[in-house]
Amino acid sequence: MHAYAYTDPLYQAELVMASEDTGGQTDEFCVRCHSPIGVMGGEIPPLDNSMASDIALEGVQCDFCHTVPEGDVGNGAFVSTPGEVKWGPHDDAPSAAHESEFNEFYTEAEYCGMCHNVNSPFNGLPLDDTYTSWSESQYAEDEVTCQDCHMTPGITQFEANPGRAASGASKRDHISIHEIVGGNVFMLEELSDGLYGEKAVERLQMAATLDVSVPEEAAPGDEVTIDVSITNSGAGHKLPTGITEVRQMWLEVSVTDAEGKMLYSSGQLDSEGTIEDAVIYHTVLADADGEITDKLWEAESIVSDNRILPKETEVESHSFVMPEDAADPILVEAKLLYRSASQDMVDELFGEGTYDVPVIDMAKDYGSINGEADVPSNGTPGFTGLLLVISLVAAIGILRAKE
Ligand code: HEC
Ligand code: HEC
Ligand code: HEC
Ligand code: HEC
């Protein structure tokens, strides 16, 4: 996404809207992080790109990132020193093309925090708190940085990626990966010819675990409570993070009887792609009149923020009344879903039919009432199911060993 940070159509649409709403007051602010070279070179604004060089359109690119000797967290507070010296994580990386110097800053979360913490330029309201939520988490305590999860194959922890950074470069125990993927399957599918969309799906599927808890038995007329625990098990910041007035994460819960009759459902999409009766995990912003807005430049207050902190669990409860004629056993299915933006918002910005915002299954779990229900064959067993299989296998192993 760094390569597309400026040309990204969703960004462009919001950038232009912000500019129109504020009479151009946000132009430099918005472009500073999305095309730092454009702003520093005096090429953007203007936003019509009439003065933008190709390199300014490359968003957050190599030469910008490797010529930042220092900076502060938030609102693009970087020091930029374009020139011969490229800084990086090694003190032994000579190159024929430029000077190479070691700079510890590149290995620290604060480096990413320069841009991944956004405060309103008008009132300081925290609009993106990715760095802050990381810095207050166990990950910060354990020194697990953004780079460990986003620039290695580990996704939720550091994992070495041995190799060479370039032909002729030394072989190393670890070369940092530069795809730097997050959760934006939508734009990666559109912009990278699908090249990195799968990687973003994989990352989202490592971020959370679900656990469904239901009563073993229920009689007709009983009010049945379903508790779904959502754990942010893999993201080093709130889940979701980034521009969370726009991102959506929610639970789809359905209860079906043995004949496939739907007894209860929530969080399904209607024919327009709108989410029905569900809690959406995100931030809600309000403008100066207290009206809800998803325009971050109009935000004056945060109405709510129900996102899940790193390593924390939220329990969402659902209930339904068991009907007279339900065929046992009853299957309860919970899915955690994510999309980069609501279909409504995207239709409004680009016109209906332009983009289908993909919905990603992050995690699933199942429960049964009145007997053991069959888990749908296309669904992978829930995490607890897998654990059970693994522990059974392990138990058999132990028995064998004893024999
Ligand atoms: C968003 C900023 C950013 C961008 C864009 C970026 N880099 Fe990096 N690069 C880094 C950081 C941070 C590290 C150190 C990561 C670490 O310590 O794990 C790094 C590490 C490297 C390394 C050392 C690799 C290793 O681990 O041995 C090389 C070489 C490199 N970058 C080249 C490039 C090139 C070429 C591009 C453009 C194609 C590029 N970078 C784009 C931030 C960036
Ligand atoms: C110069 C500012 C800047 C720096 C420094 C920077 N980023 Fe970013 N990053 C951005 C912008 C802007 C985007 C959004 C691009 C878009 O969505 O159009 C982005 C996007 C991302 C995404 C993709 C988000 C998604 O929704 O999928 C990830 C992941 C990410 N950055 C991680 C990092 C990490 C890790 C570092 C530090 C090694 C870093 N960034 C350093 C500006 C920056
Ligand atoms: C423990 C591993 C871990 C650490 C540490 C971590 N991340 Fe993430 N990050 C993830 C996972 C997993 C996701 C996918 C779930 C999500 O979108 O939140 C993610 C998603 C993201 C996204 C995309 C959010 C969205 O949905 O639009 C951004 C941006 C991002 N990370 C930036 C950062 C930055 C900056 C840091 C350091 C301050 C960081 N991450 C630290 C694991 C991590
Ligand atoms: C301090 C740096 C910074 C500033 C200033 C900034 N952004 Fe961003 N922007 C980011 C980062 C980092 C991301 C990635 C977060 C994520 O993936 O959710 C991002 C993502 C976005 C996205 C999501 C793109 C997508 O494909 O989903 C939009 C839209 C956006 N910004 C618009 C704006 C607008 C409009 C402004 C000015 C009012 C602005 N940004 C100012 C850093 C910044």
Side-chain angles (χ1 to χ4, degrees):
M1 286 311 301
H2 288 136
Y4 308 117
Y6 185 68
T7 51
D8 176 336
L10 193 56
Y11 168 69
Q12 279 293 324
E14 295 265 295
L15 171 70
V16 169
M17 208 196 302
S19 180
E20 283 167 0
D21 286 359
T22 63
Q25 282 186 70
T26 50
D27 294 3
E28 254 192 58
F29 174 75
C30 298
V31 183
R32 188 168 173 84
C33 299
H34 287 259
S35 173
I37 290 186
V39 167
M40 288 184 297
E43 299 180 347
I44 315 176
L47 302 186
D48 64 4
N49 300 333
S50 55
M51 287 169 59
S53 56
D54 289 348
I55 207 155
L57 300 177
E58 282 178 14
V60 181
Q61 46 81 287
C62 321
D63 202 20
F64 167 74
C65 269
H66 284 281
T67 52
V68 175
E70 57 182 310
D72 282 322
V73 167
N75 284 10
F78 44 74
V79 172
S80 171
T81 314
E84 271 303 294
V85 181
K86 314 299 171 201
W87 285 281
H90 303 299
D91 58 7
D92 58 345
S95 159
H98 53 74
E99 301 289 313
S100 308
E101 274 179 31
F102 168 74
N103 188 328
E104 197 167 9
F105 190 37
Y106 284 78
T107 65
E108 295 168 352
E110 288 67 28
Y111 177 90
C112 314
M114 293 188 293
C115 302
H116 285 267
N117 240 27
V118 187
N119 290 79
S120 163
F122 301 117
N123 52 40
L125 193 73
L127 300 168
D128 177 345
D129 61 358
T130 305
Y131 172 83
T132 308
S133 75
W134 171 84
S135 70
E136 291 165 355
S137 76
Q138 187 63 39
Y139 293 102
E141 193 106 325
D142 297 342
E143 294 178 20
V144 179
T145 60
C146 323
Q147 289 86 333
D148 288 340
C149 292
H150 285 280
M151 299 183 76
T152 85
I155 299 185
T156 60
Q157 62 192 353
F158 175 85
E159 191 185 304
N161 173 50
R164 291 177 209 276
S167 59
S170 2
K171 196 160 190 301
R172 296 183 192 276
D173 296 340
H174 171 65
I175 301 291
S176 37
I177 291 175
H178 275 66
E179 292 155 0
I180 315 188
V181 170
N184 202 346
V185 180
F186 175 35
M187 277 302 143
L188 288 172
E189 288 289 347
E190 294 295 334
L191 302 172
S192 75
D193 295 326
L195 211 55
Y196 298 118
E198 274 304 308
K199 301 245 173 174
V201 171
E202 192 190 350
R203 177 165 294 268
L204 286 168
Q205 292 180 340
M206 298 286 282
T209 48
L210 280 194
D211 187 52
V212 170
S213 156
V214 289
E216 256 175 55
E217 312 257 307
D222 283 0
E223 170 146 334
V224 180
T225 303
I226 303 164
D227 287 326
V228 187
S229 310
I230 312 167
T231 303
N232 175 355
S233 49
H237 32 68
K238 287 184 187 168
L239 184 66
T241 193
I243 55 155
T244 45
E245 70 285 1
V246 169
R247 308 286 189 233
Q248 297 188 312
M249 184 176 87
W250 74 101
L251 271 185
E252 183 187 294
V253 177
S254 60
V255 181
T256 43
D257 78 358
E259 281 158 5
K261 194 166 78 181
M262 186 76 81
L263 306 183
Y264 172 84
S265 86
S266 113
Q268 250 89 3
L269 294 183
D270 70 11
S271 57
E272 314 264 88
T274 307
I275 303 166
E276 294 177 316
D277 324 313
V279 175
I280 297 175
Y281 294 87
H282 66 167
T283 44
V284 177
L285 305 175
D287 64 16
D289 302 325
E291 300 286 331
I292 302 224
T293 179
D294 54 20
K295 298 178 169 181
L296 48 92
W297 53 95
E298 285 183 351
E300 290 273 342
S301 64
I302 297 173
V303 179
S304 64
D305 177 0
N306 60 354
R307 294 173 296 153
I308 306 173
L309 292 168
K311 300 199 176 186
E312 298 255 315
T313 301
E314 286 293 326
V315 180
E316 198 182 299
S317 293
H318 292 253
S319 65
F320 71 100
V321 176
M322 186 67 86
E324 291 294 334
D325 54 353
D328 293 333
I330 311 291
L331 174 71
V332 179
E333 187 176 358
K335 260 196 253 177
L336 186 65
L337 301 171
Y338 176 93
R339 64 182 176 186
S340 296
S342 73
Q343 188 64 48
D344 261 6
M345 175 187 172
V346 169
D347 288 349
E348 224 164 88
L349 288 174
F350 301 100
E352 234 169 281
T354 311
Y355 294 115
D356 255 338
V357 184
V359 175
I360 287 76
D361 280 12
M362 295 177 68
K364 274 184 205 172
D365 195 30
Y366 301 94
S368 315
I369 306 170
N370 297 338
E372 204 51 50
D374 281 339
V375 165
S377 53
N378 62 346
T380 40
F383 187 61
T384 38
L386 261 180
L387 270 186
L388 192 73
V389 173
I390 294 167
S391 50
L392 270 176
V393 170
I396 293 168
I398 292 166
L399 281 177
R400 291 248 169 85
K402 278 194 178 150
E403 280 167 12

